[in-house]
Amino acid sequence: MKEFLDILRNDHTDFDKGTLDDRLKNISPMELFKKWYQEAFEQQCISPNAMTVSTVGKNLMPSSRVVYLKELLEEGLVFYTNYESKKGKDIAENPQISAIFYWECLSRQIRVQGKVEKAPEFMADDYFASRPRGSQLGAWASKQSDVIADRAELEQELKKVEKRFEKQEVPRPPFWGGYLIRPTYIEFWQGRPSRLHDRICFEREDVKADSWKVSRRNP
């Protein structure tokens, strides 16, 4: 156990892969987001569109999971899921949400906080149609977050769905679609040596406001 604790405590990775210049305060946060995402993609960071999304339902217990960013709009960020899942139920009870991206290859992270709402159905239809057939069938087979007896139960549901949609296109389930995160807070974090990291934050009180208040914060 001591050896394990030593590994944790002695992992003092330093950060020296970039800086966050004050001139970036003059760029819109969504444009800066696009720029950072493009750089993460070009540098072949692992799963650059993976983000940890956190929700809080009526029980006030935070719940986090990793999902994939699939649309980046001027209004915000879009991911897709089962509306009847744990996250979907939390969102129905409380539309406040947070998300975080971490790109280790660049020593960067982006934090997003805001309000979430269902994305337009035409977007969900378009994206669902682009998914591999196996993923389409899986969306129908899985009652996401529900308890099941064993793996066999899930595989049996998949067989039923495969038979149901045999030799035809798989339509989008009515319980599956997109969520749009409208940010009220976006923080850009760049790791720096000696833990003196750069943090530039964009804030607005209303999701529909045009202007952002920009500040640099202590690490």
Side-chain angles (χ1 to χ4, degrees):
M1 185 64 177
K2 183 179 183 302
E3 291 181 359
F4 178 70
L5 289 176
D6 287 342
I7 291 173
L8 291 177
R9 292 171 179 172
N10 294 325
D11 182 11
H12 300 304
T13 302
D14 215 344
F15 301 92
D16 60 356
K17 297 180 180 179
T19 62
L20 192 50
D21 195 280
D22 282 320
R23 287 174 294 181
L24 293 175
K25 293 179 180 180
N26 299 318
I27 300 177
S28 79
M30 298 311 293
E31 284 302 315
L32 184 53
F33 187 105
K34 291 177 184 178
K35 180 177 183 297
W36 273 30
Y37 180 82
Q38 185 67 30
E39 291 174 2
F41 179 80
E42 292 173 353
Q43 292 296 316
Q44 299 183 333
C45 292
I46 298 173
S47 300
N49 64 331
M51 60 179 180
T52 300
V53 165
S54 298
T55 56
V56 179
K58 63 183 179 181
N59 65 355
L60 303 183
M61 175 61 71
S63 181
S64 302
R65 75 289 288 166
V66 176
V67 301
Y68 289 104
L69 173 69
K70 289 298 180 179
E71 318 273 357
L72 183 61
L73 312 176
E74 190 60 35
E75 299 91 334
L77 295 68
V78 178
F79 67 94
Y80 294 92
T81 189
N82 188 315
Y83 291 143
E84 298 174 358
S85 64
K86 174 66 167 65
K87 72 180 83 63
K89 292 175 181 177
D90 280 354
I91 290 168
E93 295 169 353
N94 177 10
Q96 307 292 335
I97 198 168
S98 69
I100 188 167
F101 296 80
Y102 178 62
W103 299 308
E104 190 277 335
C105 70
L106 294 171
S107 297
R108 287 176 176 175
Q109 65 180 354
I110 299 178
R111 291 177 54 210
V112 179
Q113 295 175 346
K115 293 185 177 180
V116 64
E117 63 190 51
K118 286 184 179 179
E121 290 194 2
F122 75 87
M123 290 179 60
D125 289 337
D126 287 345
Y127 174 66
F128 189 82
S130 75
R131 302 182 89 201
R133 185 175 179 85
S135 297
Q136 293 176 336
L137 293 169
W140 278 97
S142 173
K143 297 179 177 62
Q144 195 175 120
S145 299
D146 281 8
V147 175
I148 55 176
D150 49 32
R151 176 75 187 188
E153 180 179 336
L154 177 61
E155 292 176 351
Q156 187 60 38
E157 286 298 320
L158 179 59
K159 289 179 181 179
K160 293 178 182 178
V161 171
E162 288 174 334
K163 184 175 181 181
R164 176 180 175 184
F165 296 112
E166 188 176 7
K167 296 181 181 179
Q168 61 178 292
E169 292 186 358
V170 182
R172 177 175 65 89
F175 52 81
W176 189 99
Y179 284 110
L180 168 64
I181 301 174
R182 293 183 179 270
T184 54
Y185 177 88
I186 305 179
E187 176 183 314
F188 296 86
W189 179 96
Q190 176 69 63
R192 298 292 303 276
S194 302
R195 297 299 192 269
L196 295 177
H197 312 305
D198 287 331
R199 296 172 64 192
I200 290 183
C201 309
F202 296 78
E203 297 177 88
R204 59 183 179 184
E205 293 183 0
D206 188 279
V207 293
K208 296 182 180 179
D210 292 329
S211 61
W212 294 82
K213 178 181 178 182
V214 189
S215 62
R216 178 181 284 271
R217 299 195 178 184
N218 270 301

